[in-house]
Amino acid sequence: MTTAAEYGATSWELCVQVEHQYEGEPKEFNIRVTGDLHIGGLMLKLVEKIQIPQDWSDYALWWEQKNCWLLKTHWTLDKYGVQADANLLYTPQHKALRLQLPNMKTVRLKVSFSAKVFKAVTEICKTLNIRRSEELSLLKPLDEPQKKKKKKEKSNDPIIEDILNLDNTAVTPGTAASPGLYSKTMTPIYDPVNGTPASSTMMWFSDSLLTEQNCNVLAVSQSNCPPEKLAKLYQPLSLVDKAAINAGWLDSSRSLMEQGFQEEDKLLLRFKYFSFFDLNPKYDAVRINQLYEQARWAILLEEIECTEEEMFMFASLQYHISKMSKSSEPQSYSNEPDIDEVEAALANLEVTLDGAHSDRMLEDITDVPKLSDYLKLFRPKKLTLRAYKEYWFVFKDTSISYYKNMECARAEPIEQLHLRGCEVVPDVNVSSKKFGIKLLIPVADGMNEIYLRCENENQYAKWMAACMLASKGKTMAYSSYRTEVRNIQSFLKMKDLNSAQAQAAPNLEAMEMNSECFVSPRYVKKYKNKQLTARILEAHQNVSQMSLVEAKMRFIQAWQSLPEFGIKYYIVRFRGCKKDELLGISYNRLIRIDMSTCLPIITWRFSNMKQWNVNWEIRQVAIEFDQNVSIAFACLSCDCKIVHEYIGGYIFLSTRSKDQNETLDEELFHKLTGGQD
């Protein structure tokens, strides 16, 4: 037994503030503690002293000076290093957050401020019925200098914003995404209230806060933005502007509170990793719509470059989707019959074993297909006109060889181009029958630039698909080659305005269309309203027969085929260099870019990466590739952790497979993205 004097010598007064949801200011409580008291015991003492009967289970202790949560309730105060000078706050872990979704709609919902952002995003996506939460993350809104003063002036005014409020039910303490919410065959979950099977496109998560009306808000395309409002929205005009936006991604391995965010703050929920796994119209109504909306805004705000022809193709798809969304007919999210995935897999296996659909069967691995044809070639040189010269080309494995003519094909080629790791850029204008392929091939001192010109659409589709696969180190024997050819052909067909003009001309006077809503502000300045309407309706003839979901999927696919798709830019300084450069990070490669010309200098594929790490003392990212290639750079536009997380995140996403069901290896994600910090 310790005497009162001895106890007083080893104990001290600890001041804890309690943030109560029904009271404005936090109340202070002084509690006498000892160093061997564990956190759980401290919270128990605190609740006894507060004497307010309520559920305190979502509350936890926040240590302001150390900027950390005291979540390990079995740890003692001594182990955490808590002493008498510590200011602790007893506060709810789940707080209201305003989230702007990819469709620019703002929702208000309870989010865990104590869980790592990766887990918090999983909870958010579960609430919103978005599968594959690992593809999304939270982004800080960009502070525009001209708007800062206005914000300060109006800080006392209530925020007037159209907000969908999902903060209407109590949050279960410790809520997290439960593994195995889907069965392996994607059998629908049953409604716990009335016992009926939940719809395929909503209520996949058993504790979702979405009603059917709210689900429609997230799964159906929103009305288009008026041109005058669109013109006022921030447009990143240069790659440096884009680098400033990309610096705002939150650290996935730290909590919101640790990163300085408070209740009622506003963040952006966006698709961060452009590797969309298992997009299925049957289960992904919200996910597909939000993905379409993010793509749509990227086109309208010119965050991604596209040609005029492509802009009108995107505009026609937007117009079609807008028209279909407003129609009173109930939308079917899938034309496929309800069939168990295992049954579907068995049916496919049976077909393959019977020998039917031989085009789907993998070719004999010893018989690698090859392409051979006459194409035109051009090598850009300074002070020369673009003159294409015809050669006989042979494409085999991942290389292109070209000869003077077909008869010379048995001799040595004029040159052999190795495409592994190269950049493949479409150089196409369907209206003027221009079908070009731009190849940027890595060489010792940078990139070798070569242009190929095809005669027609079919030839272009075959060669372009082969080049794209070869750049990833894959041959035409790869199973996705034919699919890639078909995708390119359908993409060209959508862009072909000549075929659309041949059909019945629409009556412009009878049409009700605000065409300026469907194109970026640059084209609103360039063309009159009637001209825009005519161009959009011409392009619409090619897509008018599509269903709503097919049109959204086509829009996403067309967005994915743009040369700049998925590239996030950062300002860096490479080791040994004295000038700033840009680093582009895509889903499968890193690109070194000259800041003055914005042209790629060299590309490194993730598939050739051996290891990467961070020197946290000098904040430098180091990466090793095959063939003794190593690079190192410091990040100037953001913390190096953001770039390191992007690289590790894409490596993590490449490990996903369908047999994993819906479970995520969160530990592996943090291992790949967290570094040794």
Side-chain angles (χ1 to χ4, degrees), residues 437 460-470 476 481 484-485 488:
I437 302 170
Y460 169 80
K462 289 176 185 176
W463 285 80
M464 184 67 179
C467 289
M468 287 168 70
L469 283 175
M476 285 175 283
Y481 173 68
E484 197 64 53
V485 171
I488 293 170

Side-chain angles (χ1 to χ4, degrees), residues 365-411:
I365 55 171
T366 60
D367 178 29
V368 177
K370 70 175 183 178
L371 286 173
S372 53
D373 213 337
Y374 279 106
L375 302 176
K376 291 178 180 175
L377 177 139
F378 164 71
R379 285 179 176 280
K381 293 177 184 175
K382 288 182 181 177
L383 304 174
T384 59
L385 295 171
R386 184 173 291 197
Y388 281 89
K389 195 171 179 183
E390 191 171 74
Y391 295 98
W392 177 256
F393 282 80
V394 176
F395 198 129
K396 190 165 185 182
D397 293 327
T398 58
S399 302
I400 294 179
S401 304
Y402 64 93
Y403 307 83
K404 188 176 180 181
N405 52 45
M406 187 168 64
E407 288 71 34
C408 299
R410 291 184 180 179

Side-chain angles (χ1 to χ4, degrees), residues 24 31 72 97-98 145 170 188 225 245 256 269 285 310 323 386 417 447 462 505 533 540:
I31 299 173
K72 294 176 179 173
L97 189 71
R98 290 180 300 127
C225 180
I245 294 172
L256 287 170
L269 180 71
E310 287 163 346
K323 201 167 75 165
R386 184 173 291 197
L417 310 171
M447 302 286 265
K462 289 176 185 176
T533 303
H540 181 249

Side-chain angles (χ1 to χ4, degrees), residues 51-71:
Q51 292 184 338
I52 297 177
Q54 71 164 61
D55 183 4
W56 295 96
S57 54
D58 188 45
Y59 277 65
L61 289 164
W62 167 255
W63 190 0
E64 195 171 344
Q65 295 108 312
K66 295 284 186 180
N67 196 43
C68 70
W69 287 92
L70 308 182
L71 297 177

Side-chain angles (χ1 to χ4, degrees), residues 9-33:
T10 57
S11 65
W12 70 89
E13 289 274 332
L14 185 63
C15 177
V16 182
Q17 288 186 318
V18 176
E19 195 173 78
H20 198 280
Q21 56 184 328
Y22 301 115
E23 296 178 19
E25 292 296 318
K27 282 190 175 179
E28 285 190 4
F29 292 87
N30 290 319
I31 299 173
R32 182 154 288 277
V33 297

Side-chain angles (χ1 to χ4, degrees), residues 497-517:
L497 295 181
N498 294 329
S499 66
Q501 287 168 355
Q503 299 177 36
N507 181 1
L508 296 185
E509 300 298 328
M511 295 300 298
E512 288 184 16
M513 183 207 293
N514 191 354
S515 55
E516 295 176 343
C517 296

Side-chain angles (χ1 to χ4, degrees), residues 239 579-582 591-602:
L239 298 187
K579 64 174 185 175
D580 298 349
E581 293 177 83
L582 285 161
I591 311 160
R592 186 174 181 173
I593 301 166
D594 187 287
M595 192 179 272
S596 55
T597 63
C598 294
L599 293 173
I601 299 168
I602 194 163

Side-chain angles (χ1 to χ4, degrees), residues 98-101 103-108 161-165 266:
R98 290 180 300 127
L99 278 179
Q100 189 196 74
L101 304 183
N103 65 350
M104 299 295 183
K105 183 86 178 170
T106 301
V107 298
R108 183 178 178 273
E161 195 173 9
D162 179 22
I163 295 179
L164 173 62
N165 195 357
K266 185 173 182 179

